[in-house]
Amino acid sequence: MAKVLMKGNEAIAEAALRAGAEGYFCYPITPQTEVAEYLSKRMPEVGGMFLQGESELAVGNMLFGAASTGKRVFTTSSSPGISLMQEAISYMAGAELPAVIINIMRGGPGLGGILPAQADYFQAVKGGGHGDYRTLVLAPSTVQEAVDLTMLCFHLAQKYRNPVMMIGDGMIGQMMEAVEFPDSYEEPPLPSTDEWAATGALDRKARIIKSLFLDPLGLENNVLILEKKYQQMIREEVRCESYKISAKNKILIVAYGTMARICQTAIDELEAEGVSVGLFRPISLYPFPEKEILKEATRKNIKSVLTIEMSMAQMMEDVERAIQGRRPVHFFGRTGGIVPTPEEVKEQVLKLLTVKHRSSKKKS
Amino acid sequence: MLVISPVKQHRLPTFSKSILIIVGGYGSGKSEVAVNLSRQLVNAGSAPVAIADLDIVNPYFRSREASEQLTSLGIRTINPTGGQHYADLPIILPEVKGAIEQRQGVLVLDVGGDDVGARVLSSLSESFIEDTYEMLLVLNGNRPFTADLDGCLKMINDIESSSRLKFTGIVSNTHLLEETTVQIALDGLELARQVSRRSDLPVAFLSGLREIIECDEFDNVDVPILPLERLLLKPWESSAGDE
């Protein structure tokens, strides 16, 4: 198929359809409303279900119910809306249901603003709802990657029977880029939903899909079943990418989403000025690419690590945990809808390099 | 002061009307065309130029983001200010109506995408006097809903009924951002011509990135050409575009 120019939100919507999404539940919120607008036209064309709820609270629970049928279902929203869905996400994790949740993040906390931010990292990665559960979290940095990861989300949700989340800052949803959709959607084989899905009990025993386990041993057992899946995710679903990592780097930048692209511009410009810097970009935020970051950060030439975010040092906690104190981890970020410029990133790198020179002079 | 100095002397678009309404589908490149057209008009130097951002559907990448540059060129920008600059609320400043009715110099109206975005015009439609404005449809054949003749004709129809105004011309602006090729722009012009034949609207001009539009393939094109400099950039493009 030839490339088309699409807004991130439209591309996400189209990608979901091509991955076989049959049910979409939503409530409008900037900056992701175009997903709903697009699907209000397209969902009926493919015979799927488009339903606007009365609130995100309703949407979360519609998703819970629809996911119980084993069909591919999803929702999209932005930060405050995703907060309202946390209870349902926890219930779906507890009941082992596949669902895709896409958060096109805006500035917070509270009602915040409508400009791009990455401030829902903790909410997505650490589990915004209650209980011992995890959500698999992916973060694209281009519209094309948003297409690819949206499709992957549906596969992973079915593979693990667990909520899977994709998070992108508002820019991912709002910007236009050239994208290409695969002619046909192919994915590795998946376990059948026949064993568990609520599909009508006319000719079989009724099934109860629930997250309630009053017997503590039963509840502990359920949590252990979930835990086993999360361990499998850690083994099989780590995704990351590096950019211009070389033995000449003294500093390793860690950034995700569109923030990584701003860092790439800064890295290219620094390279032209004779300063070599590498970028490590986590694509899966849970599972976090811990071993991979540790390996890159502890190379002999790397003196320190710089985490850059459109939030206040949220991912930095995971970077620090991965590096285990073996290199200093610094932070730079803007938030509230302010997007750091390549110039600001360059300034931070150069500042770090000067500090380093001074301290090494002291030693000699 | 930035001045457009074309390497090639194409016939640039000129207008006898005092109001230029720039409308089109999402992602057609309306805002980029509107800000570049304003620059070209001020460069032509005939009359004071003003641009109003009437986009009430997009929260980001609106022409108001170029207002600092435009103001420095002597273009009057009419946009919501303060916190409302960042809002996605349907704010239409009273100055817009004033500027339409006063008709001093040239007024460029940058309207939001699709019929939904063009609805804002219907609330102003009583201020427009026939034959004093051009309403131009910006067409991008690489957008899903305007990829073929039927899609484009539907877009014309939908926008005319939601705006309560009639189109007067077509702008061929087919592109794939940085991945645009000469062939893409030529195919787009062909689509615009087909739309023109079926809708009886003239192709007002062809627009495209300067590096594309100044290739030899466009030397004998029989419509005016507006070379575009990208003014509405993504954050990681900012440094590259500042030269």
Side-chain angles (χ1 to χ4, degrees):
Chain A
M1 192 192 150
K3 282 195 173 179
V4 283
L5 191 65
M6 286 184 106
K7 203 173 199 179
N9 285 333
E10 300 169 327
I12 286 167
E14 185 61 34
L17 291 184
R18 289 174 188 239
E22 293 179 83
Y24 173 70
F25 308 91
C26 65
Y27 189 80
I29 181 170
T30 305
Q32 67 75 49
T33 304
E34 293 88 352
V35 183
E37 188 192 6
Y38 187 91
L39 287 171
S40 67
K41 288 182 204 163
R42 282 282 283 134
M43 241 339 170
E45 286 176 17
V46 301
M49 157 74 77
F50 173 98
L51 189 53
Q52 180 175 326
E54 53 269 59
S55 74
E56 288 91 344
L57 212 62
V59 165
N61 289 295
M62 286 172 176
L63 199 61
F64 182 17
S68 305
T69 67
K71 304 255 191 216
R72 295 190 174 201
V73 294
F74 79 120
T75 186
T76 60
S77 188
S78 182
S79 313
I82 299 287
S83 290
L84 280 168
M85 295 177 190
Q86 291 304 324
E87 182 192 43
I89 295 172
S90 164
Y91 276 52
M92 286 189 281
E96 291 198 82
L97 294 178
V100 175
I101 299 121
I102 296 172
N103 181 4
I104 300 299
M105 298 179 280
R106 55 190 250 177
L111 204 46
I114 62 168
L115 294 177
Q118 296 181 318
D120 304 343
Y121 182 92
F122 283 154
Q123 184 194 56
V125 172
K126 308 295 177 187
H130 59 280
D132 268 320
Y133 82 97
R134 291 288 192 167
T135 310
L136 205 156
V137 185
L138 303 175
S141 74
T142 64
V143 175
Q144 183 66 57
E145 197 178 22
V147 165
D148 301 342
L149 294 184
T150 296
M151 298 178 84
L152 180 64
C153 281
F154 283 95
H155 175 75
L156 295 176
Q158 295 286 336
K159 177 177 173 184
Y160 292 99
R161 278 175 60 192
N162 198 71
V164 173
M165 201 178 249
M166 183 170 91
I167 64 173
D169 64 83
M171 209 105 60
I172 287 284
Q174 288 299 322
M175 69 183 168
M176 292 261 178
E177 285 191 308
V179 290
E180 202 168 6
F181 293 92
D183 286 323
S184 62
Y185 178 60
E186 280 162 30
E187 60 187 320
L190 285 165
S192 161
T193 58
D194 292 350
E195 298 302 306
W196 61 268
T199 51
L202 273 180
D203 48 5
R204 61 159 167 77
K205 217 176 136 229
R207 294 167 182 159
I208 298 171
I209 290 173
K210 61 176 177 105
S211 62
L212 175 70
F213 297 87
L214 287 173
D215 173 0
L217 279 174
L219 180 54
E220 188 186 46
N221 187 48
N222 192 53
V223 169
L224 291 176
I225 290 170
L226 302 184
E227 183 54 28
K228 222 168 140 184
K229 295 196 293 190
Y230 304 142
Q231 290 306 321
Q232 189 190 345
M233 289 179 194
I234 290 171
R235 286 193 306 276
E236 296 178 19
E237 309 304 341
V238 167
R239 286 172 172 84
C240 54
E241 197 178 76
S242 58
Y243 183 74
K244 294 198 174 168
I245 284 188
S246 84
K248 284 188 283 176
N249 302 154
K250 286 194 177 64
I251 290 173
L252 178 71
I253 294 179
V254 184
Y256 74 98
T258 59
M259 192 60 241
R261 294 175 79 173
I262 297 163
C263 293
Q264 284 181 2
T265 301
I267 287 168
D268 291 345
E269 290 177 15
L270 283 166
E271 191 180 40
E273 293 164 25
V275 180
S276 161
V277 185
L279 168 74
F280 185 94
R281 178 170 74 91
I283 297 171
S284 60
L285 300 178
Y286 183 85
F288 196 69
E290 289 175 33
K291 285 185 201 138
E292 292 74 8
I293 287 190
L294 179 67
K295 187 175 147 216
E296 294 304 340
T298 50
R299 288 186 192 277
K300 258 188 278 173
N301 52 298
I302 297 295
K303 306 295 177 222
S304 63
V305 175
L306 176 59
T307 308
I308 306 186
E309 304 170 23
M310 289 185 231
S311 54
M312 288 291 111
Q314 297 196 22
M315 181 178 70
M316 188 200 185
E317 289 192 3
D318 281 339
V319 175
E320 280 183 320
R321 203 165 47 84
I323 293 175
Q324 303 163 14
R326 292 174 62 186
R327 288 292 183 281
V329 178
H330 303 274
F331 169 76
F332 175 70
R334 301 290 305 266
T335 192
I338 308 272
V339 178
T341 62
E343 287 69 30
E344 283 176 304
V345 173
K346 281 164 70 178
E347 200 180 299
Q348 293 300 316
V349 170
L350 293 172
K351 214 164 79 185
L352 266 183
L353 285 171
T354 352
V355 170
K356 206 142 305 312
H357 285 161
R358 274 197 211 124
S359 57
S360 58
K361 264 180 205 161
K362 263 184 213 163
K363 275 181 203 159
S364 63
Chain B
M1 181 172 150
L2 284 163
V3 177
I4 295 181
S5 50
V7 185
K8 285 193 178 179
Q9 284 299 331
H10 287 297
R11 192 157 60 89
L12 290 163
T14 53
F15 300 94
S16 56
K17 310 288 167 64
S18 59
I19 298 172
L20 307 175
I21 313 171
I22 311 297
V23 200
Y26 281 140
S28 54
K30 296 172 304 298
S31 296
E32 204 70 83
V33 166
V35 293
N36 275 275
L37 190 59
S38 306
R39 283 207 331 180
Q40 194 259 310
L41 292 169
V42 86
N43 205 37
S46 50
V49 178
I51 181 169
D53 182 348
L54 292 186
D55 194 333
I56 56 162
V57 287
N58 272 308
Y60 309 166
F61 304 113
R62 297 175 288 194
S63 65
R64 66 186 69 170
E65 288 172 39
S67 43
E68 213 171 290
Q69 284 180 73
L70 296 175
T71 309
S72 75
L73 296 172
I75 296 168
R76 180 183 165 210
T77 58
I78 309 171
N79 306 317
T81 52
Q84 289 171 349
H85 174 96
Y86 303 100
D88 55 345
L89 301 170
I91 298 167
I92 305 158
L93 297 178
E95 286 97 312
V96 175
K97 201 164 188 280
I100 293 168
E101 287 170 1
Q102 283 157 14
R103 288 190 285 127
Q104 291 165 341
V106 185
L107 173 66
V108 177
L109 297 176
D110 175 30
V111 182
D114 288 359
D115 51 329
V116 183
R119 189 166 297 154
V120 68
L121 291 171
S122 86
S123 69
L124 297 164
S125 62
E126 277 154 26
S127 300
F128 293 106
I129 301 165
E130 213 175 322
D131 291 333
T132 64
Y133 67 86
E134 295 271 3
M135 181 155 106
L136 303 174
L137 174 78
V138 180
L139 263 193
N140 181 359
N142 282 321
R143 286 281 298 148
F145 296 115
T146 50
D148 57 23
L149 181 59
D150 288 344
C152 295
L153 294 173
K154 183 176 184 302
M155 184 69 77
I156 290 176
N157 204 21
D158 290 351
I159 291 178
E160 285 189 341
S161 51
S162 79
S163 67
R164 295 199 281 155
L165 292 173
K166 294 284 176 202
F167 278 109
T168 61
I170 297 165
V171 177
S172 178
N173 190 51
T174 291
H175 69 96
L176 257 186
L177 287 169
E178 61 273 19
E179 293 179 44
T180 312
T181 61
V182 167
Q183 195 54 48
I184 284 175
L186 285 171
D187 290 348
L189 182 58
E190 182 46 40
L191 175 66
R193 288 204 163 106
Q194 287 175 24
V195 178
S196 167
R197 282 193 288 273
R198 283 285 296 277
S199 62
D200 263 339
L201 295 168
V203 177
F205 60 90
L206 165 70
S207 56
L209 288 175
R210 182 181 289 280
E211 54 269 33
I212 299 290
I213 231 74
E214 286 186 344
C215 291
D216 298 342
E217 285 85 341
F218 297 96
D219 282 357
N220 300 316
V221 164
D222 58 355
V223 294
I225 292 182
L226 178 71
L228 303 179
E229 317 261 337
R230 287 193 57 206
L231 297 175
L232 303 169
L233 293 162
K234 292 164 189 147
W236 48 91
E237 298 173 321
S238 60
S239 311
D242 276 347
E243 300 153 314

